[in-house]
Amino acid sequence: MSQFEVYSIGPKIQIGSFDLSFTNSSLFMVLTVSVISLFFIAATQKKSLVPNKMQLIAEMAFEFVSKMISETAGKDARPYFPFILSLFLFVLVANLLGMLPYSFTVTSHIIVTFALAFFIFVGVTLVGFARHGISYLKLFVPSGVPIFLLPLIIVIEVISYLSRPVSLSVRLFANMMAGHTMLKVFGGFVVSLGILGGWLPLGFAVALTGLELLVAFIQAYVFAILTCIYLNDALNLHH
Amino acid sequence: MAFKMKDIKELDSKIKNLSKKTRKVESESSSSSSLGIAMKLSSEMVAAVFVASLIGYYLDKWLETEPFFLIILFFLGAITGILNVVRTSKMINKE
């Protein structure tokens, strides 16, 4: 489908065997970042005690993420607040920009979400090792397991740990991809059924658009909260 | 008698405060949608099987023991997936 196609914009840049051309996907990532930056710059321009609408939204986003971190990962995760906030806003705004007609959804490509999830995975692992040293490996050895079951449990725990970035990225990608495909299918029904029968799928498409807005928010939230949970595992080693 | 009335009033205000708190907790926990939970659980399951099978496939390629590790790790991945689902649902219940 044409809405998922990635094509290069501007000159072709080739370094080694890598094609580093600027694509529509990169364009929308730049757009996402600039929308967030411009919004926050504008919202914090006039700092008043009684906030106007923009300042209110910015403060709400701030408080929302701050509460999420303190509830799931505790006090120790405070230094990672900027990272979680940027991550949440990036995914949220990328999802929402994808809802505009003729736009491109960055998060509907597995490579984008996997890159995000993989860097979170590496980062969390590094944080864990930096904080606990080699005893971070105790994460794979739950307490109170009989000794003859230990090899099996360790293998299972390692697989579980390694599957984190995959489940994190697949969830976001699958949700966005499925939602947009569904919208496209119902849109196709509207056209093929014409003016007589097209009203029912049109109603569905409208309802689905509303649902998609909800999904865009929920998936950004889930992505951020799971990062918090992984951070919590790395910071407070316990079982 | 008067001092007893005071006690009752104090208790009453305490109860009101506590019930306010519990109501707040309840409204917060119901905010995560069931659709999100369903997606969370299914992707957890699929990811574990996928990752384990991938590890098995490459171990086989490396050690030339086709299809030995793939089969074992596929089942281990399924076990891990179920374990992950159980853990996630326990976490959701706790919330």
Side-chain angles (χ1 to χ4, degrees), chain B residues 36-92:
Chain B
I37 291 170
M39 272 311 291
K40 218 189 222 168
L41 294 180
S42 53
S43 67
E44 208 91 52
M45 175 99 217
V46 172
V49 176
F50 178 73
V51 167
S53 307
L54 212 67
I55 296 170
Y57 178 75
Y58 281 103
L59 270 181
D60 273 340
K61 250 193 171 174
W62 181 42
L63 301 170
E64 291 175 359
T65 50
E66 263 114 53
F68 187 66
F69 277 108
L70 178 62
I71 292 170
I72 289 181
L73 275 161
F74 174 80
F75 285 108
L76 279 178
I79 295 171
T80 313
I82 292 166
L83 195 73
N84 278 347
V85 168
V86 170
R87 269 185 196 157
T88 318
S89 38
K90 261 187 192 164
M91 211 164 62
I92 293 164

Side-chain angles (χ1 to χ4, degrees), chain A residues 168-221:
Chain A
L168 194 61
S169 55
V170 164
R171 186 177 309 122
L172 179 59
F173 143 76
N175 265 293
M176 298 322 290
M177 173 100 170
H180 284 265
T181 308
M182 209 128 89
L183 273 179
K184 173 92 179 176
V185 167
F186 276 97
F189 281 160
V190 175
V191 174
S192 61
L193 288 176
I195 192 121
L196 286 174
W199 295 101
L200 187 69
L202 183 66
F204 271 117
V206 171
L208 273 177
T209 308
L211 185 72
E212 271 309 292
L213 286 173
L214 182 72
V215 167
F217 178 77
I218 288 174
Q219 288 310 314
Y221 173 67

Side-chain angles (χ1 to χ4, degrees), chain B residues 13-25:
Chain B
S13 68
K14 264 185 194 168
I15 288 169
K16 265 184 192 157
N17 268 338
L18 279 176
S19 65
K20 235 184 242 167
K21 258 185 204 165
T22 50
R23 219 174 294 149
K24 204 177 169 191
V25 169

Side-chain angles (χ1 to χ4, degrees), chain A:
Chain A
M1 277 181 290
S2 58
Q3 63 167 318
F4 296 125
E5 251 167 51
V6 176
Y7 48 87
S8 60
I9 300 169
K12 193 170 165 65
I13 307 161
Q14 186 116 20
I15 295 174
S17 57
F18 295 105
D19 186 3
L20 295 180
S21 313
F22 193 79
T23 62
N24 56 343
S25 183
S26 343
L27 175 69
F28 270 87
M29 282 186 230
V30 171
L31 260 179
T32 305
V33 174
S34 20
V35 164
I36 297 168
S37 314
L38 284 178
F39 177 77
F40 270 85
I41 289 167
T44 52
Q45 206 49 240
K46 212 179 75 194
K47 296 176 222 64
S48 54
L49 198 60
V50 181
N52 57 2
K53 274 179 202 152
M54 267 174 60
Q55 195 187 338
L56 192 68
I57 293 172
E59 279 176 6
M60 266 166 68
F62 229 81
E63 252 163 49
F64 180 72
V65 174
S66 150
K67 221 175 104 194
M68 180 165 82
I69 292 173
S70 58
E71 270 172 11
T72 49
K75 265 208 318 285
D76 291 345
R78 287 306 306 173
Y80 304 99
F81 173 77
F83 172 64
I84 307 276
L85 180 71
S86 343
L87 190 71
F88 172 71
L89 286 175
F90 181 79
V91 175
L92 178 67
V93 174
N95 287 352
L96 290 177
L97 275 182
M99 287 307 294
L100 295 172
Y102 299 104
S103 71
F104 178 85
T105 321
V106 177
T107 44
S108 69
H109 281 263
I110 182 92
I111 190 65
V112 175
T113 59
F114 188 74
L116 282 173
F118 187 74
F119 277 106
I120 291 166
F121 173 76
V122 171
V124 166
T125 310
L126 286 179
V127 166
F129 274 115
R131 206 171 166 103
H132 302 286
I134 202 78
S135 67
Y136 183 58
L137 291 176
K138 272 192 203 139
L139 188 73
F140 302 125
V141 190
S143 52
V145 175
I147 197 95
F148 61 92
L149 268 179
L150 216 51
L152 184 68
I153 295 292
I154 290 175
V155 172
I156 286 178
E157 290 287 341
V158 170
I159 293 172
S160 167
Y161 192 74
L162 290 178
S163 72
R164 277 172 176 188
V166 176
S167 75
L168 194 61
S169 55
V170 164
R171 186 177 309 122
L172 179 59
F173 143 76
N175 265 293
M176 298 322 290
M177 173 100 170
H180 284 265
T181 308
M182 209 128 89
L183 273 179
K184 173 92 179 176
V185 167
F186 276 97
F189 281 160
V190 175
V191 174
S192 61
L193 288 176
I195 192 121
L196 286 174
W199 295 101
L200 187 69
L202 183 66
F204 271 117
V206 171
L208 273 177
T209 308
L211 185 72
E212 271 309 292
L213 286 173
L214 182 72
V215 167
F217 178 77
I218 288 174
Q219 288 310 314
Y221 173 67
V222 166
F223 204 85
I225 205 161
L226 280 174
T227 309
C228 288
I229 289 171
Y230 297 158
L231 252 181
N232 182 39
D233 280 352
L235 291 172
N236 318 310
L237 199 57
H238 60 73
H239 266 282

